[in-house]
Amino acid sequence: MPRIVAVSSSALNDAAQILRDGGLVAMPTETVYGLAANALDGVAVAKIFAAKGRPGFNPLIVHVPDVAAAEKLVVMNDAARLIAESFWPGPLTMILPRAEHCPVSDLCSAGLPTLAIRVPALKATQDLLRACAVPLAAPSANKSGSISPTTPKHVADSLGDTVDMILAAGACDVGLESTVLDLSGDVPVVLRPGAITAEQIGHVLGCDVGYDLGDHGGADVKSPGQLLRHYAPAIPLRMRAVDVAPGEALLAFGSTRFMGLRGGGAASALPEHALRNLSENGDLYEAASNLFRMMRELDNGQNSGIAVMDIPDTGVGLAINDRLRRAAAGSVK
Ligand code: TXA
Ligand code: MG
């Protein structure tokens, strides 16, 4: 088992030392746990790809403590500055052209002329970034293709001893990966929906901002991560379920009063191993923060599949449905 250490000033100093020495640290953020390495050190960044089993064509997000640090790595245009003022620190990543003398390892960009950059909000992440004083490359701290971790235990279960230390700060507040906003082209476009919506971004930029989630397939996919089988539990998952089949688990949202079991009975009669509710009150933010943990809990060897109740496709519901669609597509076996 890897070393799991609760955040404290000595734990932060240890983690910073490991990172400066070229090691890997799983770090908490407000979105999901990240697998961090010194972004300036190509050998350290290569360890991330090896630990995750991540294809080399899939670039990484680089984390910095503030806008001033971002300006050293990427070209911030006017739109990027506006977005940074409104949403940083926070659960939003911008894709921007690499600065001319950007010191970040080319491996982070996977050969692209752009870099994904984020200023995280969680105090522990900020403290770690300041303690190690280098930008940190950090994808989600899970094996490539599986569900992102929202607790330290998820990280340990997924990555085991390939990580030198897990810095633990409890469960992640947001629970979904950051919104990825591409500002490197002529029009701003959201490549991965998250807690910050295209609508909120459009409001700040004063224009309509759309999504490009790569679901059209083909060669013009903008974010390499969109090509991958993703966020998949080991058992089939189906969306917009109106009833539950024998052997299936139910991932509920809101009231289960009208959910029945095929063959008779009410959903509320399902055993504990086969029933989770993302949010009994129908709160989408609560649902987002519970999503990955509950998907893992239902993928427990006792259920043959997961039936998910309908989740409204508005606000952060869009991001939840994006993750569910990828899980459903990935789990057809
Ligand atoms: O919330 C998050 O963003 C978490 C925490 C740890 O910050 N990180 C995370 O990283 O989710 P990762 O590697 O799992 O997802 C990064 C996504 C991938 O889909 C990747 O393809 C895309 O961002 N990406 C990274 N660099 C890119 C670039 N230069 N152009 C287009 N897409 C990029
Ligand atoms: Mg990931």
Side-chain angles (χ1 to χ4, degrees):
M1 277 291 276
R3 207 153 58 94
I4 302 183
V5 190
V7 171
S8 67
S9 63
S10 75
L12 284 163
N13 286 337
D14 283 357
Q17 191 60 48
I18 292 171
L19 289 163
R20 278 194 303 263
D21 291 345
L24 297 183
V25 172
M27 66 171 183
T29 82
E30 70 276 29
T31 56
V32 298
Y33 275 74
L35 180 61
N38 177 356
L40 307 179
D41 176 348
V43 176
V45 174
K47 289 184 191 166
I48 294 181
F49 285 89
K52 280 183 64 87
R54 184 174 177 111
F57 64 76
N58 194 9
L60 307 176
I61 297 174
V62 173
H63 300 69
V64 290
D66 50 37
V67 180
E71 300 254 16
K72 296 192 179 125
L73 308 184
V74 291
V75 182
M76 300 269 295
N77 51 29
D78 289 346
R81 291 214 176 83
L82 270 175
I83 292 295
E85 260 170 45
S86 303
F87 301 115
W88 275 356
L92 178 120
T93 297
M94 286 192 247
I95 309 290
L96 290 164
R98 285 175 71 110
E100 198 181 346
H101 298 292
C102 176
V104 163
S105 160
D106 284 335
L107 272 182
C108 292
S109 306
L112 297 170
T114 51
L115 189 68
I117 192 146
R118 174 160 108 84
V119 174
L122 188 76
K123 182 170 182 307
T125 332
Q126 280 281 335
D127 289 347
L128 180 62
L129 284 164
R130 288 176 204 280
C132 64
V134 290
L136 293 177
S140 51
N142 53 285
K143 288 274 184 201
S144 186
S146 66
I147 301 171
S148 290
T150 56
T151 68
K153 184 170 182 310
H154 294 166
V155 179
D157 290 349
S158 190
L159 295 178
D161 285 328
T162 53
V163 38
D164 296 308
M165 175 178 175
I166 299 176
L167 195 57
C172 302
D173 272 354
V174 176
L176 291 179
E177 306 85 348
S178 59
T179 304
V180 175
L181 172 65
D182 185 358
L183 288 175
S184 68
D186 295 337
V187 277
V189 60
V190 172
L191 302 181
R192 181 172 71 182
I196 294 171
T197 63
E199 206 179 341
Q200 287 172 287
I201 292 166
H203 191 73
V204 168
L205 295 181
C207 63
D208 278 347
V209 174
Y211 291 96
D212 178 352
L213 307 183
D215 33 16
H216 43 73
D220 60 340
V221 165
K222 291 209 183 73
S223 188
Q226 295 171 336
L227 289 168
L228 299 170
R229 179 181 179 274
H230 232 223
Y231 312 113
I235 51 177
L237 177 147
R238 64 186 177 93
M239 298 170 68
R240 281 179 289 280
V242 292
D243 59 7
V244 187
E248 263 187 339
L250 176 65
L251 185 57
F253 177 75
S255 167
T256 56
R257 206 149 37 113
F258 299 112
M259 282 300 282
L261 308 183
R262 263 179 228 168
S268 55
L270 284 164
E272 202 268 342
H273 71 259
L275 180 61
R276 290 290 181 283
N277 198 325
L278 290 167
S279 169
E280 287 180 13
N281 307 324
D283 177 335
L284 287 169
Y285 285 96
E286 185 185 11
S289 75
N290 284 329
L291 179 70
F292 290 150
R293 175 175 58 81
M294 291 186 171
M295 268 164 66
R296 281 170 189 269
E297 287 171 356
L298 294 177
D299 189 9
N300 57 18
Q302 296 184 77
N303 305 310
S304 59
I306 303 175
V308 190
M309 280 172 68
D310 189 41
I311 292 168
D313 222 10
T314 55
V316 69
L318 240 139
I320 296 174
N321 282 323
D322 170 71
R323 304 312 189 270
L324 286 170
R325 257 192 306 277
R326 290 171 198 274
S331 61
V332 175
K333 293 198 191 111

